[in-house]
Amino acid sequence: MITPPAPLDSSGAPSSALPGRRMVLGADRPMPLDGGGQLGPFTLAYQTYGTLNADKSNAILVCHALTGDQYVADRHPITGKPGWWEMLVGPGRPVDTDRFFVICSNVIGGCMGSTGPHDVNPATGQPYAIDFPVITIGDMVRAQALLIDALGIDQLFCVIGGSMGGMQVLQWAVAYPERVFAAVPIATAARHSAQNIAFHEVGRQAIMADPEWRDGAYQHAGANPARGLAVARMAAHITYLSEAALHRKFGRNLQSRQAITFGFDADFQVESYLRYQGASFVDRFDANSYLYITRAMDYFDLAAEHGGQLAQAFRVGAKGTPVRFCLASFSSDWLFPTSESRAVVHALNAVAANVSFVEIETDKGHDAFLLDEPEFHQVIRGFISGCADHRGLKRRV
């Protein structure tokens, strides 16, 4: 099996230099894509934590969100920051790596080692850029399934993720119900709303309006649409927070000054914060990957292939789904409000699925699933532990 040429990550270093594992997939049989065409061979970069047991029954797949990656519980190799879900995943954590074998892969289209628009197109010898095929959440999950196959795992004990990760969880439960014992979709929806598509379009237009985008061919030209990507990140980051959280953290406090300047510098702390978020983001993310992954989220609609009936998506033959579900939402999340999770719960109830649901009271907004929320962590610990006991998985000694 030949590994494709090493691409550059968003920092300009070869992505092959990034720590972690890689799997080349689709070499013998390219993977079909929802938009037509196929992809292969392609690479998935992934991390694992814990130990796979003898009968391979303790595997948990963590699915990351739009700007996440495979470093769920590791220090990030570019930013140096702790793993993005280390509060939830690790020894003794709700997703206990002393008991479970945890897998997290960078999605296809990503920029942290998995094949994406920054990679070399073997047909041209140049980066794919916007010649990379448009991908879907279904394609992301199909690639993950090939990885799970390659690891020799027949059924995942659990698939868990928030936001776009939650979309992947739902897609897993619909596309591979017999391969998922339990599913935990968090702060997510069965389809992307018009409002969320609109926010994504603002971000994409910010990137494409940057002269350094070069019609997507910035990598070949040695350029980088950093300003456009930073603005896209700033706009998106606002949606991850709540008004209450912004007010509590910043209010109308001024940034390192006693009075307003009557100019366009960052007078307010919240302005400085957003500028920092944008500037730091461009060090670890690729602009074209941002276009592709946001588009994949926009296209997500589980009910579309079932006559608009979401419940039908969860039917397995004449029966309901065998998957056990736990859905969680957050009261101040206006990006993926509780009503979206309730719609999924109602659809699951319609097919007599085994489903539990909780809305966590918090003012931290959409990002609450990444933060220190004790009630949320208790719910996840209880559900996963209960499912593990039901399946006969041993507790750690």
Side-chain angles (χ1 to χ4, degrees):
M1 185 176 295
I2 300 174
T3 303
L8 299 180
D9 68 20
S10 54
S11 69
S15 63
S16 58
L18 294 170
R21 302 171 183 270
R22 283 168 178 74
M23 186 78 73
V24 176
L25 303 163
D28 298 329
R29 181 182 300 176
M31 183 182 75
L33 300 172
D34 287 339
Q38 54 191 17
L39 184 65
F42 65 92
T43 299
L44 280 191
Y46 68 103
Q47 294 290 90
T48 65
Y49 310 88
T51 303
L52 188 62
N53 62 10
D55 61 0
K56 301 183 178 182
S57 62
N58 69 333
I60 293 181
L61 178 67
V62 172
C63 301
H64 70 72
L66 165 61
T67 61
D69 50 48
Q70 67 271 34
Y71 298 105
V72 60
D74 289 311
R75 190 163 293 279
H76 198 277
I78 296 175
T79 67
K81 293 182 178 180
W84 56 267
W85 227 3
E86 71 167 15
M87 288 186 183
L88 199 80
V89 178
R93 301 291 191 183
V95 180
D96 188 351
T97 52
D98 285 338
R99 189 179 191 186
F100 305 110
F101 178 65
V102 177
I103 308 158
C104 185
S105 67
N106 186 215
V107 297
I108 56 168
C111 52
M112 288 299 291
S114 291
T115 299
H118 58 287
D119 281 275
V120 173
N121 181 346
T124 66
Q126 298 295 329
Y128 277 104
I130 57 173
D131 288 333
F132 191 73
V134 173
I135 54 170
T136 66
I137 299 296
D139 294 328
M140 294 176 184
V141 167
R142 195 172 295 115
Q144 291 165 359
L146 291 177
L147 172 63
I148 299 307
D149 287 342
L151 295 175
I153 298 169
D154 293 329
Q155 185 187 51
L156 291 163
F157 164 65
C158 180
V159 185
I160 182 172
S163 194
M164 186 186 84
M167 292 178 171
Q168 295 167 66
V169 173
L170 292 172
Q171 182 67 38
W172 262 99
V174 167
Y176 305 102
E178 302 297 338
R179 301 195 66 179
V180 179
F181 184 79
V184 186
I186 303 161
T188 193
R191 64 177 181 179
H192 222 205
S193 69
Q195 174 179 264
N196 290 355
I197 293 170
F199 279 120
H200 277 175
E201 176 62 2
V202 170
R204 287 191 293 264
Q205 288 299 320
I207 292 169
M208 293 188 286
D210 188 327
E212 294 300 288
W213 186 61
R214 311 275 181 107
D215 292 325
Y218 54 86
Q219 200 173 339
H220 179 65
N224 183 16
R227 290 185 177 182
L229 180 58
V231 171
R233 172 63 170 178
M234 290 167 68
H237 195 75
I238 296 168
T239 71
Y240 304 151
L241 306 173
S242 69
E243 194 279 333
L246 282 169
H247 179 75
R248 182 180 66 250
K249 190 169 185 176
F250 304 109
R252 289 179 54 84
N253 296 330
L254 298 181
Q255 177 67 25
S256 302
R257 63 202 65 192
Q258 298 301 315
I260 58 175
T261 63
F262 292 94
F264 297 102
D265 196 5
D267 276 355
F268 296 97
Q269 287 181 3
V270 68
E271 294 176 299
S272 179
Y273 171 75
L274 287 174
R275 291 184 186 190
Y276 169 78
Q277 289 294 327
S280 60
F281 183 63
V282 301
D283 293 333
R284 67 175 181 88
F285 217 85
D286 175 69
N288 281 338
S289 282
Y290 195 89
L291 302 182
Y292 275 86
I293 297 174
T294 56
R295 189 46 119 191
M297 293 180 70
D298 292 348
Y299 284 162
F300 185 64
D301 185 351
L302 272 184
E305 295 182 4
H306 301 275
Q309 300 298 313
L310 182 57
Q312 295 302 315
F314 294 107
R315 288 197 181 277
V316 180
K319 301 179 180 179
T321 176
V323 182
R324 293 161 171 77
F325 286 85
C326 177
L327 284 87
S329 69
F330 300 93
S331 59
S332 57
D333 184 354
W334 56 276
L335 188 66
F336 288 94
T338 293
S339 59
E340 299 281 13
S341 291
R342 289 192 189 280
V344 176
V345 172
H346 292 159
L348 289 167
N349 284 336
V351 295
N354 186 331
V355 55
S356 56
F357 167 67
V358 62
E359 180 187 38
I360 305 297
E361 287 291 332
T362 178
D363 68 355
K364 295 176 183 176
H366 181 62
D367 263 1
F369 80 94
L370 298 171
L371 304 175
D372 185 12
E373 285 288 346
E375 183 184 357
F376 167 60
H377 292 172
Q378 183 179 359
V379 167
I380 300 304
R381 183 188 298 275
F383 176 75
I384 290 179
S385 181
C387 286
D389 290 345
H390 181 79
R391 201 177 191 193
L393 296 180
K394 294 181 181 179
R395 293 180 179 272
R396 68 190 178 104
V397 179

